[in-house]
């Protein structure tokens, strides 16, 4: 097994620098941090704290690492996790990765050092040596909402393909033909899956999938607004913008309102992810609702199977289309 001095030699830094990286010392530059992480991945290095913790007794706690605590989807997901864990006699410790691999690893190390009995992770796009080591050592682990190709980890996620197909069919029935999609990043499984499902649905409906109507964001508000601005500035803007998540939808709504445009008369809007405030917008937003709380509860049950030494299978739950008034056409 690789030692810390091997990592230092491979990265061309001192042992003290590697230690500072492992302890998230802010004095380390981003370039040095990247070199150290690359060396850890090449050597399959696992910090001693992780290895030691594999031999500890149960603590009746589980760790949950979410992608973005500001996203209402993850808030509801965490609530589902906590409700189920509490009923099973467990306490949940939550970390916010802020969609960054280094923050995810910080919480993995912290939670493992606190000897949680298992981990629920909404993984970032990057596969890190620490997460790979968790998988290799067999620590109870479940991926939630997202998956990582090449890692054999049970997961709980929603399948939105059927709901996306229903949305495209609904839009077509209302007379819409020019439909744009503001997706999340292709580096995340959710971004890829939603884009592929949208393309398949457009093909099935016999609608033209125009390249200029496909845009990639980061599942955050700013990218939703920037994409909306670009789409609305096209010589022939889309009739509908379908956003890949609720925060991108919020950014899109801000841009539409800033231009003095009306929904749905000037541009229609739909969202993947349904949140409570969508019904309070005028007009209420058509959305694809994920069974978010049930995903959290199911993930806890699956994780506790692993804690008990029993293998579990991945679970896919269906999402559903919720039709409101944000995609209606005049006279429809």
């Amino acid at each position: 097994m690789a030692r810390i001095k091997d990592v230092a030699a491979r990265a061309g830094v001192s042992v003290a620098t590697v230690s500072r990286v492992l302890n998230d010392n802010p004095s380390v530059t981003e370039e040095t941090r990247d070199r150290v992480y690359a060396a850890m991945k090449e050597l399959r290095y696992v910090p001693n704290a992780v290895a030691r913790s594999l031999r500890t007794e149960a603590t009746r706690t589980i760790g949950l690492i979410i992608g973005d605590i500001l996203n209402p989807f993850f808030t509801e997901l965490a609530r589902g996790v906590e409700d189920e864990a509490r009923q099973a006699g467990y306490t949940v410790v939550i970390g916010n990765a802020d969609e960054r691999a280094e923050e995810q690893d910080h919480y993995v190390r912290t939670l493992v050092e606190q000897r949680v009995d298992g981990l629920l992770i909404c993984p970032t796009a990057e596969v890190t040596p620490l997460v790979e080591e968790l998988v290799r050592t067999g620590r109870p682990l479940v991926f939630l909402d997202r998956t990582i190709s090449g890692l054999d980890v049970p997961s709980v996620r929603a399948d939105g393909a059927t709901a996306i197909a229903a949305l495209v069919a609904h839009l077509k029935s209302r007379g819409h033909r020019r439909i744009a999609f503001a997706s999340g990043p292709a580096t995340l499984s959710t971004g890829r899956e939603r884009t592929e499902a949208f393309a398949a649905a457009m093909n099935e409906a016999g609608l033209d999938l125009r390249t200029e109507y496909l845009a990639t964001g980061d599942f955050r508000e700013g990218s939703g607004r920037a994409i909306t601005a670009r789409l609305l500035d096209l010589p022939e803007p889309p009739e509908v913008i379908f956003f890949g998540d609720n925060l991108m939808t919020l950014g899109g709504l801000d841009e539409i309102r800033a231009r003095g445009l009306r929904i749905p008369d000037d541009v229609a809007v739909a969202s993947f992810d349904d949140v409570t405030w969508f019904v309070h917008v005028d007009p209420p937003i058509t959305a694809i609702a994920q069974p978010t709380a049930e995903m959290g509860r199911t993930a806890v049950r699956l994780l506790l199977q692993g804690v008990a030494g029993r293998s579990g299978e991945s679970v896919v739950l269906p999402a559903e289309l919720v039709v409101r008034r944000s995609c209606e056409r005049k006279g429809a």
Side-chain angles (χ1 to χ4, degrees):
M1 180 179 289
R3 295 169 294 178
I4 191 170
K5 69 177 184 179
D6 300 320
V7 174
R10 178 66 62 90
V13 299
S14 67
V15 169
T17 296
V18 176
S19 180
R20 283 193 287 271
V21 170
L22 292 174
N23 288 293
D24 300 305
N25 190 306
S27 67
V28 182
T29 67
E30 194 67 29
E31 188 270 336
T32 298
R33 192 182 302 274
D34 289 343
R35 289 212 322 270
V36 171
Y37 276 125
M40 289 170 60
K41 185 171 184 176
E42 291 173 15
L43 297 172
R44 302 185 66 84
Y45 171 75
V46 56
N48 287 338
V50 177
R52 287 197 305 269
S53 70
L54 295 173
R55 299 184 295 272
T56 60
E57 68 276 4
T59 61
R60 306 293 293 182
T61 60
I62 60 176
L64 169 65
I65 303 175
I66 58 176
D68 180 2
I69 201 167
L70 294 178
N71 189 325
F73 167 79
F74 289 114
T75 306
E76 186 179 354
L77 195 68
R79 177 62 183 267
V81 167
E82 285 200 313
D83 287 348
E84 186 69 25
R86 189 181 304 112
Q87 289 185 11
Y90 281 77
T91 298
V92 181
V93 183
I94 301 176
N96 173 38
D98 202 29
E99 300 295 7
R100 293 187 294 167
E102 62 269 24
E103 285 298 310
Q104 174 184 275
D105 276 3
H106 164 75
Y107 283 111
V108 168
R109 281 192 297 272
T110 300
L111 292 168
V112 167
E113 288 168 358
Q114 291 180 0
R115 304 200 305 269
V116 295
D117 295 337
L119 283 167
L120 298 171
I121 301 179
C122 306
T124 61
E126 183 180 342
V127 181
T128 66
L130 199 55
V131 173
E132 288 183 318
E133 189 63 22
L134 290 177
V135 177
R136 190 186 68 80
T137 54
R139 172 174 286 275
L141 173 65
V142 171
F143 285 159
L144 188 49
D145 180 48
R146 305 165 178 172
T147 59
I148 295 180
S149 179
L151 291 185
D152 186 16
V153 177
S155 63
V156 177
R157 63 182 185 85
D159 176 17
T162 301
I164 289 174
L167 171 64
V168 171
H170 167 70
L171 296 175
K172 182 180 179 180
S173 74
R174 310 316 287 173
H176 295 297
R177 296 297 181 268
R178 303 195 309 275
I179 306 171
F181 182 46
S183 173
T187 50
L188 290 176
S189 60
T190 44
R192 293 192 303 274
E193 289 164 0
R194 291 169 198 176
T195 300
E196 292 166 1
F198 176 73
M202 291 288 283
N203 182 66
E204 178 66 24
L207 298 176
D208 187 20
L209 185 65
R210 295 168 57 163
T211 304
E212 66 269 30
Y213 287 172
L214 293 177
T216 300
D218 61 4
F219 282 150
R220 291 187 167 183
E221 184 178 342
S223 71
R225 181 160 190 170
I227 288 170
T228 302
R230 185 182 67 76
L231 291 170
L232 294 177
D233 286 340
L234 289 172
E236 188 175 36
E239 298 166 316
V240 184
I241 304 176
F242 172 36
F243 294 95
D245 86 328
N246 64 81
L247 289 184
M248 292 178 71
T249 304
L250 179 59
L253 292 175
D254 285 344
E255 181 64 23
I256 291 167
R257 296 283 162 74
R259 292 177 179 235
L261 300 178
R262 296 166 300 169
I263 301 171
D265 295 345
D266 299 312
V267 60
V269 168
S271 173
F272 196 105
D273 275 351
D274 194 17
V275 290
T276 55
W277 55 266
F278 277 176
V279 298
H280 302 294
V281 175
D282 185 21
I285 305 298
T286 291
I288 291 174
Q290 300 190 81
T292 312
E294 182 57 31
M295 288 168 62
R297 291 190 292 267
T298 301
V300 171
R301 293 193 291 267
L302 185 58
L303 181 65
L304 294 183
Q305 287 183 39
V307 170
R310 303 191 305 272
S311 61
E313 298 294 327
S314 293
V315 178
V316 180
L317 299 172
E320 65 175 351
L321 174 64
V322 180
V323 174
R324 299 189 180 105
R325 293 190 288 109
S326 62
C327 297
E328 296 300 310
R329 288 175 68 99
K330 288 181 180 179

